Amino acid sequence: MANSKYEYVKAFERCQPDILLPNTWIVIRLDGRGFHKLTAKYEFDKPNDRRALDLMNAAAVGVMTELPDLVLAYGISDEYSFVFHKDCMLFERRAAKLITTIATTFTSYYIHLWGQYFAGTALTPPMPSFDGRAVMYPSVQNLRDYMSWRQVDCHINNLYNTTFWALIQQGGMDGTAAEKRLMGSVAADKHEILFKEFSINYNNEPEMFKKGTVLFRDYELEDPAAKPAADPELDASSQTQLPARGTPAPKGSGTLDALSGTNAPLSKTQAEKERKKRQKAKVAVEHVDVIRDEFWERRPWILS
Ligand code: ATP
Ligand code: ATP
Ligand code: MG
Ligand code: MG
Ligand code: MG
Ligand code: MG
């Protein structure tokens, strides 16, 4: 089609600073808009409505399934963080496209699946929506510290909220009194209030409430001792070379962080094969510690 005299405006789009730096981990964090009000409107259980958390997790699984470039996701409360591999070239790493695709896909699933988790409660306007932002992290350590930051936040908020709502629901206090009671208290004080006054052992609270939810692609963990030595499909490189995301990385761009393996660029066919493998892998939904090394050491493919 011939260019119209208006076509020149398209060039403006390319002048906006929108491309995320190459070779950085991309985290897209979504957060529910006005969920304080929404939880009141739909009478969420306080402090944790299990249906609402299950719905958040189901929507996130939908996003992971539709975007095979995602390697990891972590959710708490009304927020979800999605991680693209540092080699990902989806949408040429344009921030607006990545953020809007994740936010709209998540929101669509949230609304689509609502009825499965809140049977008999119809959604009415204003409809749930989620804002999104993209943050780049240049090293695996930064990315892991990001995950740790969110999980520590989950723990601190949950311990506070569990105690706050016990004071109200079982202790008969109003919000102001409960807030005053907890002012200046440290973690040990809250554990003690829960245990002594309400017979609640915080350690026995559900893992999903205490640790949040981590999603990753569940490749079969291999037992190195049981591995047949001569099987070319199972040699060491297939373990460390799951990384082909989108188009293969350009030659010479394969600098590696401590947790990755070798990162030779893959051919297009190889890249496509790995992409299919990722697409087929089940998305695991777990409530585990992501701060200590163990989670990452047992699943080296996630960040490789
Ligand atoms: P904003 O639009 O600025 O994000 P917000 O009202 O969503 O405003 P947040 O800081 O995101 O504020 O807090 C989310 C609110 O939703 C908190 O009050 C939190 O307790 C509540 N909430 C989220 N998920 C659940 C849940 N599963 N059960 C009960 N309450 C929840
Ligand atoms: P991308 O993900 O790159 O946007 P796309 O397949 O969505 O890929 P577009 O350039 O956005 O490509 O084109 C949208 C396509 O959807 C066109 O083929 C267009 O004809 C079709 N389409 C959109 N709206 C309608 C409609 N109301 N009726 C029929 N076809 C439609
Ligand atoms: Mg917000
Ligand atoms: Mg919110
Ligand atoms: Mg929030
Ligand atoms: Mg289109």
Side-chain angles (χ1 to χ4, degrees), residues 36 44-48 159-173 175 178 182 194 198:
H36 188 71
F44 281 19
D45 298 332
K46 284 291 177 182
N48 292 293
L159 179 58
Y160 182 91
N161 291 337
T162 304
T163 318
F164 178 82
W165 285 99
L167 289 168
I168 293 173
Q169 291 163 346
Q170 297 175 52
M173 285 187 179
L182 291 177
L194 284 172
F198 306 110

Side-chain angles (χ1 to χ4, degrees), residues 31-36 39 44-49 52-53 77-78:
D31 187 279
R33 176 161 182 246
F35 264 48
H36 188 71
T39 57
F44 281 19
D45 298 332
K46 284 291 177 182
N48 292 293
D49 190 303
L53 292 173
S77 180
D78 69 339

Side-chain angles (χ1 to χ4, degrees), residues 182-200:
L182 291 177
M183 213 180 285
S185 66
V186 297
D189 303 327
K190 296 183 189 82
H191 280 279
E192 192 173 296
I193 292 173
L194 284 172
F195 196 70
K196 289 217 173 122
E197 297 178 31
F198 306 110
S199 310
I200 295 171

